[in-house]
Amino acid sequence: MLVIPGQRGKDLCDQHLGLTRRDLLRVGGSAMMGLTLGQMMTLRSGQAAEQAGAGAPGWNKAKSVILLYMQGGPSQLDLWDPKDDVPDNVRSVFKRIPSKVPGMDLTELMPKFAQVTDKVTLLRSMSYTPVGLFNHTAAIYQMHTGYTADKVSPSGQLEPPSPKDFPNFGSQIIRLKPPTEPMLPFVMMPRPLQESNVVNKSGTAGFLGRAYDPYYLFPAGDDMNMAKMDSIKVDDLQLRPEVSSSRLQRRARLRDLINQGMPVIDKAVKSYDLDEYYASALNLISSGRAREAFDLSRETDALREQYGRNTFGQSCLLARRLVEAGTRVVEVVWPKVANSNAHSWDVHTGLTNRMKNESGPMLDAGLSALLTDLDDRGMLDETLVVCVGEFGRSPQRGVSTSGNNNNDDGRDHWPYCYTAMVAGAGIRRGYVHGESDQTASAPVSDPMHPTELLATLYHSVGIDPQTIVYNHLNQPRELVKAKAVTSLFG
């Protein structure tokens, strides 16, 4: 029996959408009716026929996504999942405090977040078993793309970004769910994903082409410059005074006419998706919408103080302004390189001071303010907020798990059990998913793989996680080989 993929009343010619693995299983009898598999795939370049998640809890609730990416790997024991009856070298140096939700205790580093836990779900059973070395870059790549890296250097680090890479999740989203506003579709700030000299691996559109790269807002200045967001420059979004909007539109029409007579050149640059890139840039420059969204001075001093007058806090505030203006995906990368010192989550040494006086207060203020602000504005119902790192930290302090040197005031890498936070877009409020064991070493219930979190994110924006995309070799691949955890929605 031939099944023509597609929903009733849905256009099957949307070129930007993909195919699900389920559709591939339905083409068996199509050849005898004159349709080859390739023709069927072309016909079905729209969304999956019977979306696996359509109608399920949380499906298509999120109009936008904000990822707060804690590169470096925060310690679950010292933030989200404190343990008491454990050996001294496991117990956090920080005291346990209750939160607004019974059973969702935190450490004393998170007093402000403790007052908004009724808006969030904590995932205390994030877990995966690494293949080979579980270094930062490999784990970051998995979390952002849903795939493990092909090549790892002898030091454990990956090769630099490549056009062959799997795309960042945000690039996949804006391709499959393109924006409807003249607004930057995907913004990454305030610095690239980075471990040592491997910069921005999994922070690009990879084989999708540069048209789907994020807009990189990386203000100049050292990571320790807490006021760097006050010096944002978006000159590439500025229309020069001598060029009017109508004049720019005329130039665009002239360009289109020239291109019509230059099919050879068009064919040569086709892989760069320049038409889409140019059109997007033109709309942004002529509308001015993005420039206004980047202007943090439009916010009150009181609100800016609430977020925290530092790079992370102001990035969270800017994330809210961007999604409010129509941006589909915003990624806020923790503004300190993985495997670095002050303010970094990679606490092999100096855990007590760094978490108490540096990273902890910034996360507490920025995260709690973002959730409160979104909710007060009625935006949390349509905005999915995710806060997660590439892994957690070892239960025992001073023990090496990755070949790094650790002292008794430090914890090593630990992908086997850690905590993430999700909120908004129908996510259950005041809920804890999964449970860790007595020392936060392993899940004892409902383990959740990073790819399942990514699948849940896709599901939330109305994209079937098993939608087929084609890599640089034109091979079909699922967006992510995992299913959404719909029990997170209520």
Side-chain angles (χ1 to χ4, degrees):
M1 174 180 172
L2 173 66
V3 177
I4 301 292
Q7 293 176 324
R8 290 194 186 100
K10 192 147 181 99
D11 187 357
L12 296 178
C13 298
D14 294 333
Q15 296 300 315
H16 60 281
L17 297 177
L19 179 75
T20 65
R21 184 166 55 181
R22 180 178 297 100
D23 298 315
L24 295 176
L25 301 177
R26 290 193 165 112
V27 300
S30 60
M32 63 183 180
M33 298 185 69
L35 287 174
T36 66
L37 177 59
Q39 290 170 329
M40 177 65 92
M41 289 176 130
T42 301
L43 173 67
R44 185 57 187 94
S45 61
Q47 257 179 328
E50 300 163 321
Q51 299 278 10
W59 173 257
N60 203 25
K61 292 287 187 182
K63 288 186 176 179
S64 54
V65 175
I66 297 175
L67 172 63
L68 306 180
Y69 196 71
M70 305 291 102
Q71 71 173 354
S75 168
Q76 68 279 13
L77 285 154
D78 298 297
L79 285 178
W80 325 95
D81 196 7
K83 303 294 183 179
D84 293 324
D85 298 326
V86 291
D88 288 342
N89 68 340
V90 174
R91 185 185 301 109
S92 175
V93 297
F94 307 114
K95 297 178 182 177
R96 174 191 291 264
I97 63 170
S99 79
K100 208 168 183 179
V101 177
M104 201 186 287
D105 289 359
L106 308 166
T107 72
E108 60 183 317
L109 297 183
M110 305 291 281
K112 295 177 180 177
F113 179 71
Q115 299 307 307
V116 299
T117 52
D118 58 336
K119 305 179 191 296
V120 312
T121 282
L122 280 187
L123 311 173
R124 283 180 169 161
S125 55
M126 294 294 297
S127 176
Y128 69 93
T129 300
V131 177
L133 295 170
F134 48 92
N135 65 308
H136 295 282
T137 315
I140 290 170
Y141 188 88
Q142 176 182 246
M143 183 68 253
H144 283 80
T145 69
Y147 284 81
T148 54
D150 293 329
K151 295 182 179 180
V152 180
S153 73
S155 67
Q157 293 183 350
L158 299 177
E159 294 180 334
S162 162
K164 300 176 182 179
D165 288 344
F166 273 86
N168 180 289
F169 76 95
S171 299
Q172 299 279 28
I173 289 174
I174 64 171
R175 183 182 69 92
L176 296 168
K177 303 274 284 193
T180 57
E181 308 271 0
M183 185 56 192
L184 293 163
F186 178 18
V187 176
M188 180 180 285
M189 60 179 171
R191 68 159 359 274
L193 299 161
Q194 182 175 349
E195 178 189 10
S196 296
N197 61 349
V198 181
V199 182
N200 215 27
K201 187 73 172 180
S202 73
T204 75
F207 60 66
L208 292 182
R210 295 187 63 186
Y212 299 102
D213 275 348
Y215 179 86
Y216 299 114
L217 182 68
F218 300 155
D222 187 80
D223 286 351
M224 299 305 293
N225 176 8
M226 294 294 104
K228 68 190 303 181
M229 299 304 287
D230 290 330
S231 60
I232 292 173
K233 294 181 180 180
V234 284
D235 295 340
D236 51 342
L237 299 179
Q238 181 67 46
L239 185 62
R240 296 203 311 271
E242 69 271 19
V243 182
S244 67
S245 178
S246 58
R247 183 179 174 189
L248 194 65
Q249 297 288 350
R250 288 198 301 274
R251 286 184 179 180
R253 288 195 294 272
L254 177 61
R255 171 188 172 275
D256 291 341
L257 288 173
I258 292 173
N259 280 349
Q260 289 175 15
M262 301 177 70
V264 175
I265 293 179
D266 275 350
K267 183 178 180 180
V269 302
K270 184 178 180 181
S271 63
Y272 291 94
D273 294 316
L274 293 183
D275 284 337
E276 293 178 55
Y277 194 86
Y278 187 90
S280 298
L282 179 64
N283 288 337
L284 285 168
I285 292 171
S286 59
S287 75
R289 190 183 185 105
R291 294 194 305 276
E292 294 177 3
F294 282 113
D295 188 358
L296 287 172
S297 68
R298 293 172 179 259
E299 300 292 344
T300 66
D301 286 340
L303 186 61
R304 295 190 69 177
E305 292 291 341
Q306 185 179 342
Y307 273 87
R309 288 279 189 167
N310 53 68
T311 306
F312 177 73
Q314 297 304 291
S315 294
C316 289
L317 175 55
L318 183 52
R320 190 227 79 205
R321 289 184 59 81
L322 288 169
V323 298
E324 193 171 31
T327 295
R328 184 83 73 193
V329 181
V330 179
E331 178 166 357
V332 176
V333 179
W334 187 257
K336 201 65 166 74
V337 182
N339 75 350
S340 59
N341 48 15
H343 293 224
S344 170
W345 292 113
D346 197 22
V347 287
H348 295 279
T349 62
L351 180 153
T352 302
N353 177 65
R354 286 158 64 177
M355 294 192 70
K356 182 177 181 179
N357 301 315
E358 298 169 355
S359 54
M362 289 192 292
L363 174 61
D364 186 40
L367 177 58
S368 58
L370 175 63
L371 294 168
T372 300
D373 199 7
L374 287 171
D375 209 20
D376 288 348
R377 293 169 183 269
M379 296 171 59
L380 193 57
D381 290 340
E382 296 181 337
T383 305
L384 181 68
V385 181
V386 180
C387 182
V388 66
E390 58 266 32
F391 39 57
R393 312 304 297 187
S394 60
Q396 295 185 54
R397 296 192 303 275
V399 174
S400 178
T401 60
S402 66
N404 287 286
N405 293 322
N406 306 268
N407 65 16
D408 59 3
D409 190 28
R411 300 184 192 269
D412 210 332
H413 306 172
W414 195 260
Y416 307 103
C417 187
Y418 59 108
T419 300
M421 186 227 76
V422 289
I427 291 289
R428 297 170 69 172
R429 292 180 175 231
Y431 175 64
V432 175
H433 176 86
E435 181 184 358
S436 62
D437 64 11
Q438 187 178 8
T439 59
S441 301
V444 295
S445 67
D446 300 313
M448 188 165 179
H449 195 278
T451 57
E452 292 179 298
L453 177 58
L454 196 55
T456 305
L457 188 156
Y458 283 129
H459 174 92
S460 181
V461 296
I463 297 174
D464 186 341
Q466 294 193 3
T467 296
I468 296 295
V469 295
Y470 293 86
N471 66 11
H472 64 290
L473 298 176
N474 205 33
Q475 298 167 324
R477 295 288 185 268
E478 299 95 332
L479 285 179
V480 58
K481 295 180 181 180
K483 293 183 179 179
V485 182
T486 57
S487 60
L488 299 181
F489 299 94

